[in-house]
Amino acid sequence: ETGVTQSPTHLIKTRGQQVTLRCSSQSGHNTVSWYQQALGQGPQFIFQYYREEENGRGNFPPRFSGLQFPNYSSELNVNALELDDSALYLCASSSLTSGEETQYFGPGTRLLVL
Amino acid sequence: SQELEQSPQSLIVQEGKNLTINCTSSKTLYGLYWYKQKYGEGLIFLMMLQKGGEEKSHEKITAKLDEKKQQSSLHITASQPSHAGIYLCGALRLGTYKYIFGTGTRLKVLA
């Protein structure tokens, strides 16, 4: 149990639609990252937020956007969904203790785009 | 080409045997992470190595990062069926806030 929750667990959308995925992390974890994992592949880094600002982004188009809120929750928004967006979306929060980072992953949201 | 190369791609071992998984980068990394994933589930963070030559252990799993911070190994001692899963290495590119991942090693432990 990591204390990181994601909703919904599963989602089916059609091409062109928009989707919002949610993540709730532990109190005090100022950093949240989002990843996309296609079936049979390793995760791909989408972006990272630190104290409500994006501070790192992978090779994803602008239609992937995010928000981080003061209550340690965050959102991943994807506009104009494409079939290739079908994947498991993971969020992770991290804590830093004595210079040591620990990451906590949620169970993921499985998105299917038809 | 993949920025982080993992080997082997898959591994089947008898319970009780030791095993090693390797992760190699062509560039110096800021930090190296090891994760475990069960099929279709979220990642479990195992450990992070940041300093060249660093070694960490958690239960029967030991990970090392070489001095150049370009290669890491994950060693499991006396493997058990509970160790089965996909092991992934991840890293933070030096000078960026971009994470990259290896291709994963699928481990099966036969009872």
Side-chain angles (χ1 to χ4, degrees):
Chain A
E1 188 61 48
T2 64
V4 178
T5 59
Q6 289 187 246
S7 63
T9 55
H10 295 82
L11 198 52
I12 300 175
K13 290 284 190 178
T14 55
R15 201 168 41 177
Q17 285 189 308
Q18 177 266 342
V19 70
T20 297
L21 309 182
R22 294 180 173 83
C23 172
S24 179
S25 48
Q26 294 186 39
S27 175
H29 289 190
N30 294 318
T31 303
V32 65
S33 303
W34 284 90
Y35 304 87
Q36 179 196 67
Q37 187 175 25
L39 199 61
Q41 307 287 321
Q44 297 288 322
F45 172 66
I46 303 175
F47 44 56
Q48 182 182 79
Y49 277 78
Y50 175 70
R51 291 187 173 177
E52 302 165 50
E53 292 208 3
E54 185 182 297
N55 72 342
R57 191 177 182 95
N59 298 327
F60 280 81
R63 60 188 185 86
F64 285 78
S65 63
L67 286 171
Q68 185 186 24
F69 302 102
N71 65 352
Y72 306 106
S73 66
S74 65
E75 287 180 357
L76 164 65
N77 297 290
V78 187
N79 293 324
L81 283 166
E82 300 176 1
L83 298 180
D84 284 349
D85 295 334
S86 296
L88 180 68
Y89 287 85
L90 299 165
C91 77
S93 66
S94 56
S95 67
L96 208 57
T97 305
S98 303
E100 296 269 327
E101 181 187 1
T102 303
Q103 296 176 348
Y104 304 86
F105 281 80
T109 293
R110 191 166 293 283
L111 172 65
L112 178 61
V113 182
L114 301 175
Chain B
S1 65
Q2 195 72 22
E3 289 193 59
L4 285 181
E5 296 284 344
Q6 264 186 258
S7 63
Q9 286 189 326
S10 63
L11 201 49
I12 301 174
V13 299
Q14 203 68 39
E15 183 177 1
K17 294 294 185 185
N18 303 335
L19 63 104
T20 300
I21 298 168
N22 295 301
C23 178
T24 304
S25 170
S26 57
K27 299 176 183 176
T28 301
L29 304 165
Y30 174 75
L32 194 290
Y33 304 78
W34 282 101
Y35 308 92
K36 180 185 173 185
Q37 186 174 32
K38 295 275 191 182
Y39 177 74
E41 298 179 11
L43 272 66
I44 299 168
F45 171 84
L46 296 175
M47 56 192 91
M48 180 201 177
L49 305 164
Q50 203 167 335
K51 299 170 191 167
E54 188 174 9
E55 180 175 323
K56 284 186 178 176
S57 291
H58 175 69
E59 297 177 349
K60 292 186 178 178
I61 300 177
T62 301
K64 300 179 187 178
L65 182 63
D66 74 335
E67 290 290 343
K68 288 185 178 179
K69 295 172 67 173
Q70 289 184 253
Q71 189 165 359
S72 178
S73 59
L74 184 85
H75 185 76
I76 298 178
T77 304
S79 58
Q80 299 168 357
S82 60
H83 287 128
I86 300 169
Y87 288 82
L88 287 153
C89 63
L92 197 55
R93 286 185 195 155
L94 196 62
T96 75
Y97 283 103
K98 294 187 179 182
Y99 291 86
I100 53 176
F101 288 84
T103 47
T105 295
R106 193 175 292 270
L107 172 65
K108 189 171 183 177
V109 180
L110 303 176

